[in-house]
Amino acid sequence: MILTVHGLWKLPATVKERLAEAGADKTEICETGGYPIVYGEKIIDPALPTVLVYGHYDVQPADPIELWHSPPFEPVIKDGLVIARGAADDKGQMYMHVKAFEAMMQTDSLACNVKFMIEGEEETGSDSLGPFLENNKEKLAADVVLVSDTAMLSNDTPSLTVGLRGLSYVEVEVTGPDRDLHSGIYGGAVANPINILAQMITSLTDEDNRITVDGFYDNVAEVSDTERKAMNEAPFDLEEYKRDLDIADVHGEKGYTTLERTSIRPTLDVNGIWGGYTQPGAKTVLPSKAYAKISMRLVPNQSSDEITEKFKKHFRGLAPDCVKVKVTPHHGGEPAVTPIDSTAFQAASQAMEEAFGKKPIPMRGGGSIPIVSLFEKTLGLKTILMGFGLDSNKIHSPNENYGLFNYYKGIETIPLFFKHLAALSEK
Ligand code: BES
Ligand code: MN
Ligand code: MN
C-alpha cells in the first residue's frame, strides 16, 4: 500500500511509542492488509473489568488547503483551541486516552484493565478492522469498548452519544454520447448527461424533502412521541445554529426538528458532482459523462447493503433510454444504538457528572462509526461513546480545531469512568 497521506506512515510508531511510555505492556504494531492497527494493554487484575479503548489515528484529507489559516499538519494553539487536521477527529480525542492512562499509571490509580486498539482506516471504512477483530477475539476480550470520537451538545451541556447513523455511499456515472460533442452542432438533439443527472438527483427527494428511493423508509424505526419530546428538550438554539452557518434558514424533512433531522432520520446528500468543462473561460461542449458521489445516512433498522441495493435499482430505473447509468457502491456501515441501562453507561454518566458538575444528556449523533456495530457483532461488546468534541470543531473541514478545555476535561473524565466502572462492577 502506498502511504501517501501526510505523515500517516509515521503515526503507528508514534502511537505505539507513546503508549509504551505511558506504561502499556505488549505494545505492538499489528500489520493488516492496509494501515496497521496499534495495540497495547495493561492488565492489572483479571478480576477487574477490562476496557477496550478504540480510536483512530487517520484523518480526512486537508483539502481545500487554501482555506486553512495555518498549515493543517502543523498544529497551532489559538484562542484556547488546537488547530490542525485531526485535532478533534480523532488524534486529539484518541490522545486524551493515552494521557489519561499515563496519569492513572503515575498516580497508581488505574482502576480497570485496559486494552488500546488504535486504527488507521476509520475514515476510509475500517476495511482491515473486521478481519482483525475476527482473528483476535481473545486478545481483544473485554467488558466494554470506550470511544471518544463524537461530540457533546456544548461545554455547559455535556452529553453522551447513544446512537449513530449508518451509511450507504455510492458513486454514479451517467454516460450520454461516447465522446464530448460540440454543443452547437449536437445541442438540443442529444442528451446532456449533466442535465439528466441533475434531473435524476432532483427527483430523489420530494417537496417534503422525503427520499423517494423505492422502499427507502421500509425499515426505519419510528421513535416514540415521548422520546422525541425528550430529545427536543435538549438545549438547542436554532438562531445560533443558523448564525454559525451563515444560513437564513434550515432545510430538511417536513415534520421533524433540526435535532431530529440530524439524529433519528435518514438522509440523502450529494457529496460531489462533476463532469464537462470546469476550467476557466468558456468551452462549448456537450459532455459525454457526468458523475456524482451520493451518501445516505441510515437509522435503525435500515441495513446499509439493502439501502445500497434499493438505491441502485431505483436510480437505474430513473434513467431515460438516452443515457447509460452505472452505480458503484463504496464503503458503508450500519447504524448503532447503545443501551443507557448498562453498568458501563451508568459509569460514563457518573464520570461526566463528576467532571462537569452536570448530568450528561443521552443524545443520538448524526455521524457514523461503522465499527460500533462490528464490536457488537464480532466481539459481543457494547460501546460507550464518550466524546468531548463540539459540532463547532469543523471536523472534515478546513481549520479543524479542538478546545484545550475539552482536551483537559477529557483527560479528567476518563479516569473517573474507570473508577466508577470498577466500583459499580464490584456491587
Ligand atoms: N468521528 C467521526 C464520526 C462522528 C463525528 C460521529 C461526530 C458523531 C459526531 C468519524 O471519524 C467519521 O467521520 N465517520 C465517517 C464515516 C466513515 C465511514 C467515513 C462519517 O460519519 O462520515
Ligand atoms: Mn472520527
Ligand atoms: Mn471523521
Side-chain angles (χ1 to χ4, degrees):
M1 169 174 267
I2 307 166
L3 302 177
T4 47
V5 182
H6 191 108
L8 205 48
W9 67 93
K10 296 190 290 201
L11 283 170
T14 307
V15 175
K16 174 185 180 318
E17 208 177 284
R18 298 294 160 87
L19 274 173
E21 282 166 12
D25 299 327
K26 295 195 189 165
T27 55
E28 57 180 313
I29 293 176
C30 309
E31 294 299 338
T32 65
Y35 290 100
I37 293 167
V38 184
Y39 180 83
E41 63 175 42
K42 187 78 200 176
I43 307 296
I44 46 172
D45 179 353
L48 288 171
T50 302
V51 178
L52 176 60
V53 172
Y54 164 88
H56 62 94
Y57 64 78
D58 63 315
V59 297
Q60 286 282 338
D63 58 81
I65 269 217
E66 64 279 8
L67 296 183
W68 284 78
H69 303 315
S70 54
F73 295 100
E74 292 167 33
V76 293
I77 294 176
K78 206 178 146 218
D79 304 328
L81 304 173
V82 182
I83 300 159
R85 170 56 86 233
D89 182 15
D90 178 48
K91 289 180 185 178
Q93 295 216 63
M94 170 268 282
Y95 200 58
M96 296 180 318
H97 285 272
V98 180
K99 290 316 235 183
F101 170 64
E102 184 177 66
M104 290 187 276
M105 290 300 289
Q106 285 181 1
T107 53
D108 202 17
S109 62
L110 184 64
C112 299
N113 302 309
V114 57
K115 296 179 176 177
F116 291 91
M117 179 174 69
I118 313 296
E119 74 149 323
E121 296 183 347
E122 197 277 341
E123 300 289 6
T124 49
S126 301
D127 286 344
S128 306
L129 200 76
F132 184 76
L133 298 186
E134 279 296 342
N135 297 330
N136 292 281
K137 287 187 184 166
E138 210 160 301
K139 180 192 196 117
L140 301 171
D143 294 281
V144 68
V145 182
L146 179 62
V147 181
S148 296
D149 193 22
T150 50
M152 308 182 295
L153 210 45
S154 76
N155 283 347
D156 300 324
T157 320
S159 54
L160 276 162
T161 302
V162 292
L164 289 165
R165 290 196 280 193
L167 185 68
S168 275
Y169 202 115
V170 294
E171 187 161 332
V172 300
E173 180 190 289
V174 177
T175 308
D178 68 352
R179 59 190 181 276
D180 289 0
L181 304 175
H182 187 289
S183 68
I185 300 175
Y186 291 98
V190 176
N192 180 322
I194 300 183
N195 295 23
I196 302 276
L197 174 59
Q199 286 165 358
M200 290 168 76
I201 287 172
T202 304
S203 83
L204 292 175
T205 43
D206 67 15
E207 63 279 9
D208 292 336
N209 294 316
R210 279 177 68 86
I211 296 150
T212 57
V213 173
D214 293 327
F216 187 83
Y217 291 95
D218 280 358
N219 298 317
V220 167
E222 299 295 337
V223 173
S224 71
D225 287 346
T226 332
E227 221 180 308
R228 284 179 67 182
K229 195 164 163 279
M231 188 174 285
N232 286 301
E233 275 162 12
F236 172 76
D237 184 344
L238 188 61
E239 290 313 310
E240 168 60 29
Y241 187 83
K242 292 193 279 193
R243 212 169 22 244
D244 175 54
L245 299 174
D246 194 19
I247 51 175
D249 206 354
V250 289
H251 176 86
E253 186 182 354
K254 195 174 166 187
Y256 294 92
T257 64
T258 296
L259 280 177
E260 291 170 340
R261 287 169 178 169
T262 54
S263 61
I264 57 164
R265 300 301 295 169
T267 62
L268 183 150
D269 276 293
V270 179
N271 296 254
I273 181 164
W274 70 103
Y277 184 70
T278 56
Q279 299 303 306
K283 179 185 176 195
T284 46
V285 66
L286 193 164
S288 166
K289 284 179 185 291
Y291 306 84
K293 291 183 194 272
I294 299 175
S295 67
M296 289 158 277
R297 296 282 169 176
L298 312 178
V299 299
N301 301 315
Q302 289 177 298
S303 127
S304 175
D305 285 348
E306 250 173 62
I307 290 293
T308 303
E309 272 316 302
K310 284 177 176 167
F311 178 91
K312 258 193 196 169
K313 199 162 155 232
H314 180 92
F315 200 74
R316 286 193 192 124
L318 288 177
D321 289 342
C322 52
V323 296
K324 296 188 216 44
V325 164
K326 202 164 106 190
V327 181
T328 313
H330 284 284
H331 59 251
E334 304 306 332
V337 273
T338 63
I340 56 171
D341 55 1
S342 67
T343 307
F345 187 84
Q346 228 181 312
S349 184
Q350 289 175 355
M352 279 196 121
E353 185 172 359
E354 196 174 333
F356 286 82
K358 270 186 202 166
K359 217 178 164 70
I361 303 180
M363 296 250 314
R364 288 215 214 167
S368 308
I369 309 182
I371 40 82
V372 172
S373 71
L374 273 184
F375 288 141
E376 168 118 49
K377 209 174 83 192
T378 318
L379 304 176
L381 292 181
K382 302 279 186 204
T383 298
I384 297 295
L385 295 159
M386 195 166 73
F388 296 92
L390 297 175
D391 283 350
S392 59
N393 289 149
K394 300 184 179 158
I395 66 171
H396 297 200
S397 277
N399 306 304
E400 177 176 351
N401 64 76
Y402 191 45
L404 291 177
F405 169 84
N406 304 70
Y407 178 71
Y408 289 118
K409 257 307 180 228
I411 296 174
E412 182 186 334
T413 310
I414 292 161
L416 296 171
F417 171 75
F418 280 65
K419 180 184 89 174
H420 287 296
L421 183 66
L424 287 166
S425 305
E426 245 177 35
K427 285 179 189 158

